[in-house]
C-alpha cells in the first residue's frame, strides 16, 4: 500500500531496531510538516498512534519526534498540540503507558510546553493540564528553560538606509554599511562590531549583530 514520504520517515525513526534516535530523519519529518507536504493534524495523529505502541523503543522514539516537531514547526504544530483534545490524549497516555521513561519524558514535555506557551492564551490547555496533573499528585521534573526555546522563526530580511540605524552616521566610501542578522537593520562598523549565535533562527555560528541585539542575546528570553 502506498506510503507517503512522511509515513516512511516516521516508520524509519520509530523502528524498534534503532539503538539511538535518527536525528537527521527526525528533522526531515519536521521539514515535511513545515513545507506542508503533510497536514499537521494527520502527522500528529500518526505520531500519537506510535506513542501508544507496546514496544518501548517505538513509543519513546515517537515522543522524540513529537518534541522535535513542537520545537521546529512553530504554529503549524502548536495549533494542534496546544488544544484540549490533544492535551487530554497526552494525559491519557501518561496514565496508561506501560513505559516509565515515556511517562517521565511526557511529563517533562508538558511542563516545558506550558512554560514556552505561558504568554499565549490560546494554548492555555497545556498549563491547565499541568495544573490538573499536579493536583492529581504527579510530580514534574525540574524545568530546563533552555529546552523551551523553539526555533520556528526565520531571520529577518535586511533593511537599507543611507545612515546608521543606531548613531545616524552617513554611509560613504569610508563609512561602510553592515547588517545585523538578528534585527536586519543596517549599521556602521562601530555599532555592529559584536557577533553571537542566534539559536531561535537556527543560526548556530556567531554572526554580526548590532549593540542592542547583542545586549538582548545576553539575557535569557523566550518567544
Ligand atoms: O563590504 P561592503 O562593500 O561595505 O558591502 C557591505 C557588506 O557586504 C556588509 O556585510 P557585513 O554585514 O557582513 O559586514 C553588508 O551587510 C552590506 O549590506 C554591504 O553593503
Ligand atoms: Zn553607528
Ligand atoms: Zn540588531
Amino acid at each position: 500500500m502506498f506510503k507517503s514520504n512522511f509515513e516512511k520517515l516516521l516508520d524509519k525513526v520509530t523502528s524498534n531496531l534503532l539503538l539511538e534516535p535518527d536525528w537527521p530523519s527526525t528533522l526531515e519529518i519536521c521539514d515535511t510538516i513545515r513545507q506542508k507536504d503533510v497536514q499537521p493534524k494527520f502527522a500528529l495523529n500518526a505520531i500519537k498512534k506510535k506513542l501508544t505502541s507496546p514496544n518501548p523503543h517505538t513509543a519513546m522514539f515517537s515522543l522524540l519526534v513529537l518534541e522535535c516537531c513542537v520545537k521546529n514547526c512553530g504554529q503549524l504544530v502548536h495549533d494542534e498540540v496546544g488544544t484540549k483534545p490533544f492535551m487530554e490524549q497526552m494525559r491519557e497516555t501518561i496514565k496508561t503507558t506501560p513505559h516509565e521513561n515515556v511517562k517521565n519524558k511526557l511529563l517533562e514535555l508538558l511542563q516545558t510546553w506550558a512554560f514556552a506557551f505561558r504568554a499565549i492564551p490560546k494554548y492555555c490547555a497545556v498549563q491547565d493540564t499541568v495544573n490538573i496533573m499536579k493536583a492529581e499528585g504527579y510530580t514534574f521534573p525540574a524545568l530546563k528553560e533552555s529546552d523551551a526555546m523553539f526555533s520556528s522563526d526565520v531571520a529577518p530580511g535586511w533593511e537599507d538606509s543611507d545612515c546608521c540605524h543606531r548613531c545616524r552616521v552617513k554611509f560613504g566610501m569610508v563609512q561602510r554599511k553592515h547588517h545585523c542578522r538578528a534585527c536586519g537593520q543596517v549599521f556602521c562598523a562601530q555599532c555592529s562590531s559584536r557577533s553571537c549565535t542566534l539559536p531561535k533562527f537556527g543560526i548556530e555560528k556567531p554572526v554580526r549583530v548590532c549593540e542592542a541585539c547583542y545586549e538582548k542575546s545576553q539575557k535569557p528570553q523566550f518567544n
Side-chain angles (χ1 to χ4, degrees), residues 74-86:
Q75 186 173 347
L76 276 174
V77 163
H78 299 171
D79 281 350
E80 297 297 329
V81 169
T83 62
K84 204 165 170 358
F86 194 96

Side-chain angles (χ1 to χ4, degrees), residues 24 50 71 83 93 97 110 117 120 134 145 152 184:
K50 296 275 186 182
K71 266 183 181 283
T83 62
T93 303
T97 179
L110 286 183
F117 296 150
I120 310 176
K134 278 182 177 166
E145 293 192 0
S152 58

